[in-house]
Amino acid sequence: MFKRILQVLIIPFFLLSGFSVNPVWAEEKEERSWQDESMYFIMIDRFNNGDTSNDFEANPKDPKAYHGGDLQGIIDKLDYIQEMGFTSIWLTPVFDNEEGGYHGYWIRDFKNVDENFGTLEDFKTLVKEAHKRDMKVMLDFVVNHTGYKHPWLNDSEKKDWFHEKKDIANWQNQEEVENGWLFGLPDLNTENPETKAYLMDAAKWWITETDIDGYRLDTVRHVPKAFWEEFSKEVKSVKKDFFLMGEVWDKDPRYVSGYTEAGLDSVVDYPFYNDASKVFSNAGGSPGMLANVFKRNQILYKDPYILGNFIDNHDNERFTRKAIANNQNPVTRLKMALAYMYSAPGMPIVYYGTEIAMDGGNDPDNRRMMNFRAKDDLIKYVSKLGKIRSEFPSLRRGEMDVLYDEKGMTILKRTYKSEMTVIALNNSDESRNAVIPAKTLEENKELRGLLTGDMTEEKNGEYEFILDRETAEIFEVGEKTGPNLPLISVFVAVPAVFAGFLYMNRRKKQAS
């Protein structure tokens, strides 16, 4: 009897709480694309030592020597990477390098794994384990040069495999840029049919042998565009959806974008890096100016949504060091930068250690060994950003508009189909508020904060945003919920009815 009455009392709660009224049917999930990825960039030797038996040349005290990181170490940390919300990883070259080539860019053998990293089977296992977690693997590939002491240099039959030894004197001269020996590294003559055929074959071999998903192509500007056009066709003949992202290290966005017209799908966006790292490594800069980067990219690129956005990498001093140089709290500054990078158009790329605010100057200091015992405050923040980005297509695929941009306070709008999100950034060192007309969003809506839980709704035809100094918020735009009067009445009525039931039951027992 008691159980039946309790069931009767609970039923209104479910009927009136809104759980089953006006259900919102999710839109059909779209096929995953590279613009939906968030990428974790790893320098193999400096990430995690999972197998000490291959520490052949390891000397952790020497910043220019191997430190012991290996493929097994990455396999062991795939769950750590996935739990932060990353859907893909990018690895520095895995190829056999000559002595001292801990970074992977002094290649000795294009078809072998460096013994300090493990074996080919280890790499295959890494790819399989990543794919089990629905994570893609992108590998660094170099065609511009070899290591300083490559055996081909002493092979008379391969004397034409290299350009004449000559440094790059004039960086504005494209012929010198393509034919000169970068930092003294032997420059491969990719115009030579034999050299070209070897490199094409090696690139396809890694795809068929290991099932990787993409290449990040090193030193792209130092190789003729004609080579990249043919390279793209060759690798995509093996795997149609294979992704090619080039490194074109230049400040001119027009120059950089030219390489996507030569067969590459994407580039790591150095112009974005230059602007974003400057704006966010110090308080006071305007995040709104970064919207111009996207507007420019919409003109320059066929698909600006798959460009690689980054604020940290292995070739520049760490973002943390830049913030410290500006007398700023690096964690606070990183949170601002990451909030923007995860909510702006483009594919966010996070360099290992950024999630613990790792410090470091120029190469090799920016390649310190990862510390897995660091505080996890920033790790949790990155995880939250990853979750938000994965749940809202507008942050991965949507248009972007600037609604407000004054004194370091910026309000951005992202829209995709019927979904809208709003990004509010206060990059100043003071609390700020911004008021925008309701018509620039939608009228009579409620904006629910996804990072800090802030909320704002339309009042008198306006939305007001109030942010503490150096904070960011990402808002979901939805219908006003208001007080749930039926639910409130249930919470009041149920205890009253139940108390009445107990009272009547007691009177009944006393009467009998």
Side-chain angles (χ1 to χ4, degrees), residues 144-329:
N144 176 65
H145 56 264
T146 66
Y148 292 101
K149 303 173 184 177
H150 199 285
W152 292 344
L153 292 166
N154 299 317
D155 187 342
S156 59
E157 295 184 0
K158 290 184 171 57
K159 63 180 181 179
D160 294 331
W161 281 44
F162 296 94
H163 288 126
E164 179 186 357
K165 186 175 182 179
K166 190 176 182 181
D167 293 333
I168 303 172
N170 180 6
W171 286 81
Q172 303 306 312
N173 184 316
Q174 188 63 26
E175 184 178 350
E176 283 193 40
V177 169
E178 292 177 1
N179 298 337
W181 286 33
L182 182 67
F183 305 123
L185 290 163
D187 197 77
L188 286 167
N189 179 11
T190 53
E191 299 96 314
N192 182 319
E194 290 184 353
T195 314
K196 180 170 63 176
Y198 177 90
L199 294 169
M200 299 283 187
D201 178 66
K204 291 189 287 185
W205 183 85
W206 282 98
I207 301 170
T208 55
E209 193 72 18
T210 68
D211 197 29
I212 52 175
D213 304 287
Y215 283 135
R216 179 269 191 183
L217 300 165
D218 184 67
T219 52
V220 161
R221 65 179 296 200
H222 299 279
V223 178
K225 290 181 178 178
F227 175 89
W228 295 123
E229 291 174 356
E230 190 171 345
F231 184 90
S232 175
K233 292 176 183 177
E234 288 292 322
V235 297
K236 288 178 185 291
S237 70
V238 178
K239 196 171 186 177
K240 186 178 180 181
D241 58 349
F242 197 78
F243 191 64
L244 296 176
M245 184 169 70
E247 177 217 32
V248 186
W249 196 345
D250 196 271
K251 293 182 179 180
D252 184 352
R254 292 167 297 179
Y255 179 87
V256 174
S257 66
Y259 286 87
T260 58
E261 299 170 4
L264 304 189
D265 299 302
S266 173
V267 292
V268 285
D269 196 348
Y270 261 96
F272 173 93
Y273 161 78
N274 292 329
D275 290 339
S277 61
K278 183 177 180 180
V279 166
F280 290 114
S281 61
N282 204 356
S286 169
M289 66 162 286
L290 296 173
N292 294 328
V293 173
F294 176 59
K295 290 179 180 178
R296 181 181 64 206
N297 287 345
Q298 283 182 301
I299 297 171
L300 295 175
Y301 294 94
K302 180 180 179 181
D303 188 354
Y305 290 91
I306 57 174
L307 299 180
N309 293 341
F310 68 101
I311 54 167
D312 241 349
N313 76 357
H314 59 320
D315 289 323
N316 295 274
E317 67 177 358
R318 288 272 188 175
F319 182 93
T320 289
R321 179 62 58 89
K322 294 182 179 183
I324 292 173
N326 291 325
N327 296 314
Q328 300 290 313
N329 181 325

Side-chain angles (χ1 to χ4, degrees), residues 428-480:
S428 75
D429 56 7
E430 296 179 356
S431 295
R432 299 259 185 230
N433 75 305
V435 176
I436 61 171
K439 62 182 180 181
T440 60
L441 290 174
E442 288 185 38
E443 297 179 350
N444 200 35
K445 296 292 182 181
E446 182 177 83
L447 278 61
R448 296 179 285 273
L450 303 169
L451 281 173
T452 65
D454 285 350
M455 186 175 291
T456 184
E457 60 182 38
E458 180 195 348
K459 290 181 181 178
N460 301 320
E462 296 176 331
Y463 290 96
E464 183 178 20
F465 298 85
I466 303 173
L467 266 67
D468 290 336
R469 56 175 291 175
E470 300 178 87
T471 57
E473 181 60 285
I474 301 171
F475 293 94
E476 173 188 10
V477 179
E479 299 296 330
K480 280 188 178 181

Side-chain angles (χ1 to χ4, degrees), residues 18-68:
F19 291 145
S20 60
V21 179
N22 298 323
V24 178
W25 300 105
E27 292 184 8
E28 185 178 348
K29 193 172 182 180
E30 296 178 84
E31 185 178 352
R32 180 172 157 194
S33 163
W34 279 94
Q35 69 191 29
D36 299 313
E37 301 297 316
S38 55
M39 189 171 290
Y40 191 71
F41 172 32
I42 301 170
M43 177 159 280
I44 300 172
D45 178 64
R46 302 300 168 89
F47 186 60
N48 185 40
N49 191 343
D51 182 2
T52 56
S53 69
N54 57 33
D55 293 354
F56 303 111
E57 301 174 43
N59 180 8
K61 294 182 179 179
D62 183 354
K64 293 187 177 182
Y66 286 88
H67 284 190

